[in-house]
């Protein structure tokens, strides 16, 4: 099966823009989806497809894709965005998650 | 609105089989638009896809777990189950069930998760 690689930790100043990236061969074929997870809670979908947000997700969240890299972009990060973020995609075996990125909002 | 709820023992002994059930409300597993999935998260670690099943019974598993995993659909089509055999402490995790949307390829609906510890 393929792998998805994420930076373990990223920080952003309050109100600034941050990009969280995900790299993997499966992303050349399949779209990524992104999940936000806060301590003690189940993951929540924040982005999917080319650049689609589920209902209720703020429009400061956006996505982009290029080659083998998918990105989750938060424009104007808020304190409540501090969380772990996981990318995910289909792959040849079925499905795969990235290792996760811990986002700290300073 | 679909809801998913995991149930099963919170403690399993090493070498035994872990068994969990996901109860589906607000939808039927007969809906061909979805795969019904299991995902786990060891304490302090990331998410790991275990596998999923289609309403036809076709199933797909993580290659690293394939030899020990079985996912099945209940006869009522209102629940699906996970069996993981020969467990060790490394299988201690929060286990989530989730619904994979086939057309748009994502997990929108998740259960709240259930912690399963493997210990004697």
């Amino acid at each position: 099966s393929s792998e998805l690689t994420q930076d373990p930790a990223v920080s952003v100043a309050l109100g600034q823009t941050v990009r969280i990236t995900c790299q993997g061969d499966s992303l050349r074929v399949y779209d990524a989806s992104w999940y936000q997870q806060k301590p003690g809670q189940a993951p929540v979908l924040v982005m999917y497809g080319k650049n689609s947000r589920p209902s209720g997700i703020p429009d400061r969240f956006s996505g982009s894709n290029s080659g083998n890299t998918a990105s989750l972009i938060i424009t104007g990060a808020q304190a409540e965005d501090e969380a772990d973020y996981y990318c995910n995609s289909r792959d040849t075996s079925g499905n795969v998650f990235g290792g996760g990125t811990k986002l700290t909002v300073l | 609105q679909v809801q998913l709820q995991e149930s099963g023992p919170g403690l399993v002994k090493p070498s035994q089989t872990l068994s969990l059930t996901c109860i589906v409300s607000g939808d039927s597993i007969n809906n061909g638009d979805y795969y019904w999935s299991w995902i786990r998260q060891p304490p302090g670690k990331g998410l790991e896809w275990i596998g999923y099943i289609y309403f036809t019974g076709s199933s797909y598993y993580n290659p690293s777990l394939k030899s020990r995993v079985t996912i099945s659909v209940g006869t009522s089509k209102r629940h699906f189950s996970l069996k993981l055999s020969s467990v060790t402490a490394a299988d201690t995790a929060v286990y989530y069930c989730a619904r994979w949307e086939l057309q748009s390829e994502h997990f929108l609906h998740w259960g709240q998760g259930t912690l399963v510890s493997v210990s004697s």
Side-chain angles (χ1 to χ4, degrees):
Chain A
S1 64
S2 56
E3 293 183 352
L4 295 178
T5 301
Q6 298 182 240
D7 291 328
V10 171
S11 61
V12 61
L14 184 68
Q16 296 303 300
T17 297
V18 63
R19 177 184 293 260
I20 299 170
T21 60
C22 175
Q23 288 188 304
D25 288 340
S26 62
L27 300 179
R28 296 186 185 278
V29 179
Y30 303 110
D31 288 331
S33 54
W34 290 91
Y35 303 84
Q36 177 193 71
Q37 188 181 35
K38 296 182 179 180
Q41 298 182 17
V44 173
L45 177 72
V46 295
M47 188 64 53
Y48 66 97
K50 296 292 184 267
N51 188 14
S52 298
R53 275 178 289 108
S55 173
I57 300 301
D59 61 5
R60 64 178 178 271
F61 288 86
S62 63
S64 71
N65 303 280
S66 178
N68 73 335
T69 301
S71 299
L72 176 70
I73 302 156
I74 307 174
T75 304
Q78 302 299 302
E80 61 263 33
D81 300 333
E82 186 162 290
D84 294 326
Y85 290 85
Y86 295 91
C87 61
N88 168 268
S89 80
R90 284 183 59 192
D91 76 351
T92 53
S93 301
N95 208 282
V96 62
F97 283 95
T101 298
K102 183 176 184 63
L103 176 66
T104 300
V105 179
L106 304 172
Chain B
Q1 175 79 337
V2 64
Q3 291 187 318
L4 305 171
Q5 177 68 58
E6 305 88 353
S7 65
L11 181 64
V12 181
K13 291 182 175 3
S15 81
Q16 294 191 342
T17 295
L18 179 159
S19 296
L20 294 174
T21 295
C22 181
I23 299 168
V24 179
S25 56
D27 195 3
S28 168
I29 294 173
N30 268 339
N31 190 326
D33 292 335
Y34 310 108
Y35 282 150
W36 302 90
S37 314
W38 288 98
I39 295 156
R40 71 179 183 177
Q41 185 171 36
K45 296 188 178 181
L47 300 169
E48 180 180 32
W49 175 73
I50 298 171
Y52 42 40
I53 191 165
Y54 195 46
F55 80 102
T56 58
S58 296
S59 55
Y60 304 85
Y61 301 130
N62 187 322
S64 69
L65 298 170
K66 188 173 183 177
S67 63
R68 299 193 291 130
V69 174
T70 303
I71 297 175
S72 58
V73 174
T75 52
S76 69
K77 305 297 185 186
R78 292 291 182 183
H79 73 271
F80 61 105
S81 299
L82 169 70
K83 291 190 184 300
L84 181 65
S85 64
S86 305
V87 298
T88 69
D91 296 309
T92 294
V94 174
Y95 285 76
Y96 296 98
C97 57
R99 192 179 78 174
W100 173 259
E101 319 267 323
L102 270 171
Q103 187 165 8
S104 45
E105 300 192 335
H106 58 261
F107 296 104
L108 177 58
H109 296 286
W110 296 65
Q112 66 187 25
T114 186
L115 175 63
V116 180
S117 298
V118 178
S119 174
S120 55

